[in-house]
Amino acid sequence: MKKELGAANCLYPMPVTLVGALVDGKPNYITIAYVGIIDHGHVSLAMGKVHYTNDGIRENGTFSINLPSTSMVKEADYCGLVSGRKADKGALFETFFGVLETAPMIAGCPVNMECRLAQTIDMPRHDVFVGEVVASYCDEEVASENGVDFSKVDPILFAMYDKSYFRMGERFADAWSVGKALM
Ligand SMILES: Cc1cc2nc3c(=O)[nH]c(=O)nc-3n(C[C@H](O)[C@H](O)[C@H](O)COP(=O)(O)O)c2cc1C
């Protein structure tokens, strides 16, 4: 038997990200879990129109996406509780800049991406920002031969309905490979 959930969005868990933008010339960071991958070079962020950060993304046409580790869960939660209108969230972190020069990134996050705004989709309550990934960085300690070892990143995962944070499980199979057993 199945339990009916109504029209519930069950697409969880999602990675918790800290999205950075310059707002009035100062770094601000917002917690965003409604992130998407469009293709290898493009990402999307669904950001409520009320948020302070949105103006900075529009103004500069740039933003960053930073992946915090579970050890940064308090900072990540705080950036989702408090608006940059009321507090200087940039002061929480050491900020660095890359090639775009206007996309502030968090040195303490093991993975960082800087993005150029490619398109904004106007949804009733959200701006969906589509970004072109221009450059990405990772700490030496989490680097692998092919890019990033996500088990070392130890990202924070989020589920809405019970408002919980989870951590990643273990790697258990090879993609585009394990299914060959059924061919
Ligand atoms: C775990 C978590 C995930 C969140 N994900 C989103 C999201 O995907 N989209 C969104 O619009 N707000 C999201 N929020 C809420 C914003 O982070 C929050 O309202 C923030 O304080 C806005 O910051 P700002 O006003 O400085 O831009 C999330 C909050 C938390 C705690």
Side-chain angles (χ1 to χ4, degrees):
M1 281 289 283
K2 293 271 191 188
K3 181 182 172 188
E4 275 197 38
L5 298 173
N9 190 335
C10 298
L11 196 58
Y12 295 103
M14 297 295 285
V16 170
T17 71
L18 287 166
V19 169
L22 284 183
V23 188
D24 292 334
K26 279 176 58 181
N28 188 60
Y29 297 103
I30 176 175
T31 309
I32 294 292
Y34 293 180
V35 291
I37 297 176
I38 291 167
D39 59 29
H40 289 309
H42 293 86
V43 293
S44 66
L45 311 172
M47 295 183 39
K49 286 183 194 283
V50 294
H51 297 323
Y52 180 68
T53 315
N54 299 32
D55 289 342
I57 295 179
R58 256 189 296 271
E59 188 187 323
N60 298 291
T62 57
F63 60 85
S64 74
I65 304 180
N66 305 271
L67 285 186
S69 298
T70 58
S71 60
M72 296 177 72
V73 70
K74 284 186 188 154
E75 288 85 349
D77 198 59
Y78 172 82
C79 288
L81 284 167
V82 176
S83 173
R85 280 192 194 92
K86 299 244 166 89
D88 178 7
K89 292 188 275 184
L92 272 184
F93 307 104
E94 185 191 327
T95 288
F96 73 101
F97 290 91
V99 287
L100 290 177
E101 296 178 352
T102 54
M105 289 176 276
I106 299 175
C109 284
V111 180
N112 322 87
M113 296 190 276
E114 47 179 338
C115 301
R116 188 180 289 121
L117 184 62
Q119 199 178 327
T120 305
I121 300 166
D122 186 19
M123 296 291 282
R125 291 174 57 207
H126 289 78
D127 293 318
V128 179
F129 294 117
V130 175
E132 175 199 352
V133 181
V134 172
S136 302
Y137 310 86
C138 79
D139 289 350
E140 290 282 357
E141 297 77 46
V142 305
S144 71
E145 225 171 89
N146 305 321
V148 177
D149 180 339
F150 286 98
S151 64
K152 290 184 181 155
V153 172
D154 191 21
I156 306 167
L157 307 178
F158 164 76
M160 187 52 141
Y161 297 100
D162 50 359
K163 295 199 174 74
S164 304
Y165 295 121
F166 294 85
R167 51 164 47 103
M168 221 171 88
E170 71 199 30
R171 188 184 192 285
F172 78 99
D174 289 329
W176 281 282
S177 174
V178 65
K180 288 180 189 165
L182 301 181
M183 274 177 173

